Each structure stands twice: as C-alpha cells, then as structure tokens.
Amino acid sequence: MTYDADVVVAGGGPVGLMLACELALSEVPVVVLERLTEVDTTIKAGAINTPSAEAFYRRGLLPELVEVQRTVLGRFSSFLSQRQAAGASVVRQPPKFAGHFAGIMLRGDLLDEADPDFEAAGPAADVGLVPQEPLERLLAARAAELGVEVRRGVTLTGFDADEDGVRVHTSQGTLRTGWLVGCDGGRSTVRRLAGFPFPGTAPGITGRQALVEMTGTEALGTGWNWTEHGTYAHGPVPGRFLTVEFDGPPADREAPVTAQELEASLRRVSGVDEVRVHKVISATRFTDNARQVPDYRAGRVLLAGDAAHVHSPFGGQGLNLGIGDAMNLGWKLAATVRGRAPEGLLDTYTAERHPIGAWVLDWTRAQVALMRPESHAGALRRIVAELTGTVTATTFFAKKISGVWQRYDLPGDHPLTGRSAPDLELSDGSRLGDHLRDGQALLLDLADDAELRKCAAGYGGRVRLLTTGCPQRPELAGLLVRPDGCTAWAADVPGAPASTVDAGGTASAPNGPDGPDGPDGLAAALRRWFGSPADPTG
C-alpha cells in the first residue's frame, strides 16, 4: 500500500498534538484529524504534573509554560482581591499549594521538599499551573513549526485495517496510512469501531465545572466545600466553580449546559440561594465513569489518552496520563515506522502505560468514595484530613499527585532504572534536559569509560553519546536515557557508595561487569530498546 502519511492521528487535542510532535521529531510523516475547527475553549484540566512538565521541558517548551503559569497566578490573586472587595465572609490567603485529595487541600509548608523524589526534575519542578487550553495552543504552534499537517473540521467516519496498513475514511475523503492512533477522547470513535473492550465501573455522579459571570457569591466558601447535598469548589479564578452531586449520572451528557442548570446545581449543593449565574463563558459535565482498554493496541490501530482510559477528573490526572502515553508511544511508533524497532518494542507501550492508567482509575475512585455526602465517608474524610496535617502523609499524597513516583518495570537493579532521568547538572554547565530536545536517545558517559563508549559504537544515528562529568553526582558512571526521558540503564563507578536509594529504601546493587548494571547490562539495554548494533566494518 502506498501511504498518504505513515501515521494518522485521530484527535487534535493535547495528546494527539503531543504524539504528532514526537513523530515529527523522528521525521515520520503524520496527519492529525480534528473535528473541531478551532482550539477547544471548554474549561477542562487546570494543571500539569511533574512528568508532563519534564516532557515539555525536555522539548524546549519550558519558557512558554512559565509565562502561562505567571498569567494564571495573576488570576488567582485577582480572585482573592475580588472576594475581599465584595465583603465575602471568609477571605484568606491559602498556604503554598501542594495539590488535593478528594478536595482535602495539601499544605505546601508541610511538604518534605528534601525528599529525593522531588529533587530530580530540575526547573520543570517549578511549573504546574498550566490549564489545558493554553497548553493546546502551545502544542498546536509547535506542531506547525515541526511541519505536522493538522486538518481541522475533519471527522473520522470509519476505517479498514489489515496487516499492510489502514484506510481511514473521513468527511473529506480517504487516507491511506501505515498506522492509526486514536487520541479522540473518552467517547472515541476509533476505539468503538476497532472493537476494543472497555471494562470498568459505571458512573454514579454528576459533576459540573464552569466559568461564568455570577453574583451573590459572598456566602460561598472558597476552595473545596462539603455539604449534605454534595461537594462544591469555588475559585481559584474569578467565576470558576465546580459542583458534584451523587444522585446518578446526567440524563443527557450531550445537552448544552445552561446558566439555569449551573445555578440550580450550585444552589442545591451549597445552600446559598442568593447565587445568580448571568452568563456562561465555558461549562462542562463529567461523571466518575472509570474504564480502561486491556490492550492499547489492536494490530495497526493504537489508542492513547482518554480513548484508552476514562475516569473522573479529581486529582487532575487525565491530561497528564495522556501526555505520558504520547511520550511513551511516540518514539516507539517512530522506530517501528522507520524499520529500526527491535522485536516487541511496540508491545512495551501497553506493558508500561497500562499499570499507570489502572492506578489513576483507582486513585479517582477512592476520591469519589471519600467525597460522598454520607456519614461513613464523612468519618473517613475527617481521618484522612487529620493525616494530611502531617509531613509524612502530605509528602506521600503530593508524590502521588505530582507523578514523581512513576516507574516502569525495566531490567536492572540500579534505583534510577525505569524512572524519569534526573535533570543532572553537567560539568560543561548544561543540564541533561538540554540534550533531549531533538527526541533522540542519549548515553551519558560520566566516568570517561572506554568500555561504555565501545558498547555505543554501533548505535550512531539512534543513540547520541555524550562524554562529560557530573560534579553533582560523582558516583554515577553512566546513564542510558530513552527518547521519552526514562532511564533505561544506569551504573555507578565501581567501588563507589550506592548512588541513591529508591522509594522503598533499597540501595544500588554492586556493579559487576556481567550484571545488569555493568557493561553487559548496557549492551542488553541498547539491544532491547534500539536493536542490534551496526557492523562497524559495513
């Protein structure tokens, strides 16, 4: 089959655009199909987590994110000023924000910032308050810079897939492609037409999130509030609120969200009858429907983001889970398209991402259970709130919410293996993140090791070798960093003290030459992720 594009991505939201950018970095021709003619302005995710911030940082997007965050923080200050000027009953500057669990706010002043899991992200650790709409605009601009073809106003209507490729049928004709990736949301057309199973738990709540013009808000509490009729959040920007009612899912998810519906819900939940919603700027409904496909791939069709997993938005995990999918899949699919992938590489996409998706589903289910307006949930909520008044519990929850706990189960005993690579400060003044912008794998030789360089000799064009030093971590001998930023192999200098301990307190294993953290382990990792080395005589 002759292809119009090697990959077609259905869905031009943040996940689809991120995936397209990753493919374009590897010079894979990609077309993105998006049914909307403009960037979606519906109020959605309000923040990104640490793995997402690291991904954008490693692709050179951190300055733009910093500017977005500065704007958001200005809106937070404006909200508090407006509340104070309006004579609201309770106006207080919140402590440093560290996230929330089921609406229970985590105090940043109780966070153990010396925890080693928080030290690895470098400048990316300072960026988080980035809403979905400006992020999508940023990614659309980057996709255009990379030459990605984004076709807006185009609807995918069907496809025919076989072992040679996929014919994608759209409202504007048919495209022939090698691979189709569904990034088309929770009600994914690609998932439905491909016949992916979608097991999980049915919805039991109706949530509404909105940005509106309203009056009569003086008696509303700021932040998260629980009542006998549900849960509501007010702020942290002017006109923004969220309600959760536990009387079942909405009768019609597709119906327009009106000012009358929003006003009635906020009154019911809050008990504040003076609230008036005059104009809806943006609004959406959501439920706690929690489902996940067992395998993210069916032949030449793959899923990423909400197309592969859906859940309630509590804890802000959805957008971030999708960005992680895109980063994991992008380089693997690109290697497959270009004929460089070792056997089974594409299958590791599901193997690595499915467990993290399953954790997110349970994380959101637990929060819904804790938020219910009944006595048993209330008692448990009070106990959890008491726990979060401690440094240990706040740090635990913050690590989970931020995503710094995430690790893939990869061969090797070194504590860094399988984790996001630490943003090391190198002896030439650069940081590790500076060397990952082109989306290529990186082998860091930190101990001037000829054996290490010998292992990398056959991987020119697939793995970039950088010999340098790292005064910050002198015990490290080397790191192999995959294109998605994951540490595929790490080793310490022979005889050096263990470089670190993992979350369970397990120290590094000794580096024997035949062990997983020695030269043989590096050779195995290179073959596992990047195939056989080229013949130096050929």
Side-chain angles (χ1 to χ4, degrees):
M1 182 186 296
T2 301
Y3 300 144
D4 297 304
D6 284 333
V7 179
V8 168
V9 175
V15 176
L17 291 170
M18 189 71 183
L19 175 61
C21 288
E22 289 299 292
L23 292 167
L25 282 175
S26 295
E27 300 180 347
V28 171
V30 56
V31 171
V32 177
L33 307 177
E34 171 53 52
R35 62 180 180 82
L36 299 178
T37 58
E38 301 290 342
V39 170
D40 190 359
T41 60
T42 304
I43 184 170
K44 292 182 180 177
I48 58 175
N49 67 4
T50 299
S52 294
E54 287 179 308
F56 299 132
Y57 163 56
R58 289 165 178 159
R59 297 302 185 254
L61 296 173
L62 196 64
E64 292 94 329
L65 297 182
V66 169
E67 287 304 311
V68 171
Q69 180 169 267
R70 183 175 290 116
T71 299
V72 171
L73 288 171
R75 295 179 67 197
F76 286 5
S77 297
S78 176
F79 172 71
L80 291 175
S81 297
Q82 288 182 22
R83 294 281 292 166
Q84 189 169 17
S89 55
V90 178
V91 179
R92 59 183 180 273
Q93 183 70 36
K96 180 181 176 182
F97 180 60
H100 76 83
F101 183 75
I104 300 169
M105 307 304 289
L106 304 176
R107 291 173 46 186
D109 57 337
L110 292 176
L111 183 65
D112 179 10
E113 294 183 343
D115 188 294
D117 282 341
F118 290 123
E119 297 176 351
D126 296 326
V127 176
L129 296 173
V130 179
Q132 184 162 328
E133 180 188 344
L135 177 61
E136 186 173 330
R137 293 187 186 279
L138 189 158
L139 288 173
R142 177 52 56 92
E145 291 174 8
L146 293 172
V148 173
E149 183 181 356
V150 179
R151 300 185 184 180
R152 290 194 168 273
V154 178
T155 302
L156 183 146
T157 57
F159 61 85
D160 304 299
D162 58 33
E163 62 182 16
D164 296 319
V166 187
R167 294 181 183 274
V168 180
H169 309 300
T170 79
S171 56
Q172 295 185 8
T174 296
L175 282 168
R176 295 162 298 179
T177 184
W179 299 85
L180 172 63
V181 186
C183 301
D184 50 342
R187 284 163 276 185
S188 168
T189 300
V190 174
R191 184 187 66 234
R192 176 176 56 81
L193 293 178
F196 283 90
F198 205 36
T201 51
I205 69 170
T206 295
R208 299 172 178 89
Q209 182 177 204
L211 188 63
V212 303
E213 293 179 4
M214 61 181 178
T215 57
T217 63
E218 292 78 10
L220 289 176
T222 55
W224 288 84
N225 303 267
W226 296 270
T227 75
E228 61 182 7
H229 301 292
T231 302
Y232 77 95
H234 181 209
V237 298
R240 185 262 184 182
F241 71 86
L242 176 150
T243 62
V244 184
E245 299 183 77
F246 294 82
D247 54 356
D252 185 357
R253 282 283 302 273
E254 304 296 330
V257 184
T258 65
Q260 292 77 14
E261 176 186 346
L262 293 169
E263 181 181 293
S265 179
L266 185 54
R267 287 186 179 188
R268 280 194 302 270
V269 176
S270 70
V272 178
D273 292 333
E274 295 81 13
V275 171
R276 295 286 187 277
V277 175
H278 303 287
K279 179 181 179 180
V280 178
I281 300 170
S282 177
T284 186
R285 299 184 192 88
F286 62 87
T287 73
D288 58 336
N289 184 33
R291 301 182 183 277
Q292 183 182 26
V293 296
D295 194 324
Y296 291 8
R297 177 187 174 192
R300 287 181 172 265
V301 181
L302 300 110
L303 302 177
D306 289 350
H309 37 68
V310 296
H311 51 84
S312 75
F314 302 123
Q317 299 292 326
L319 169 64
N320 297 297
L321 187 56
I323 294 297
D325 290 348
M327 288 296 293
N328 189 285
L329 174 59
W331 70 277
K332 296 173 181 178
L333 183 54
T336 302
V337 168
R338 301 189 67 186
R340 292 183 170 184
E343 184 177 355
L345 178 65
L346 205 52
D347 293 330
T348 66
Y349 169 52
T350 294
E352 292 179 352
R353 294 304 298 171
H354 192 281
I356 295 178
W359 174 85
V360 168
L361 264 65
D362 276 348
W363 183 258
T364 59
R365 288 182 180 117
Q367 292 181 80
V368 171
L370 206 62
M371 296 167 76
R372 293 190 179 280
E374 49 93 10
S375 58
H376 290 79
L380 184 58
R381 190 165 59 244
R382 288 187 289 275
I383 292 172
V384 173
E386 185 175 349
L387 284 171
T388 59
T390 67
V391 171
T392 300
T394 292
T395 302
F396 168 82
F397 280 109
K399 287 169 69 170
K400 294 294 186 180
I401 292 167
S402 68
V404 299
W405 65 274
Q406 294 178 14
R407 182 175 189 172
Y408 299 141
D409 184 14
L410 305 187
D413 299 322
H414 197 283
L416 293 179
T417 302
R419 300 183 74 96
S420 179
D423 190 44
L424 302 174
E425 298 178 26
L426 305 176
S427 56
D428 62 0
S430 67
R431 304 185 72 100
L432 187 146
D434 299 328
H435 299 279
L436 298 174
R437 294 188 179 185
D438 60 0
Q440 192 174 11
L442 178 69
L443 178 59
L444 277 180
D445 170 18
L446 298 173
D448 196 15
D449 187 338
E451 188 69 23
L452 182 151
R453 294 193 294 273
K454 181 180 178 181
C455 286
Y459 289 91
R462 286 176 283 175
V463 179
R464 184 154 34 86
L465 175 66
L466 177 62
T467 298
T468 184
C470 182
Q472 172 193 10
R473 299 286 295 274
E475 78 282 0
L476 282 176
L479 291 179
L480 175 61
V481 184
R482 302 189 323 192
D484 59 353
C486 174
T487 305
W489 171 88
D492 292 335
V493 175
S499 65
T500 184
V501 295
D502 64 19
T506 303
S508 295
N511 290 340
D514 300 325
D517 302 328
D520 286 355
L522 172 58
L526 287 164
R527 285 180 177 273
R528 175 184 176 90
W529 300 112
F530 308 109
S532 299
D535 184 347
T537 64

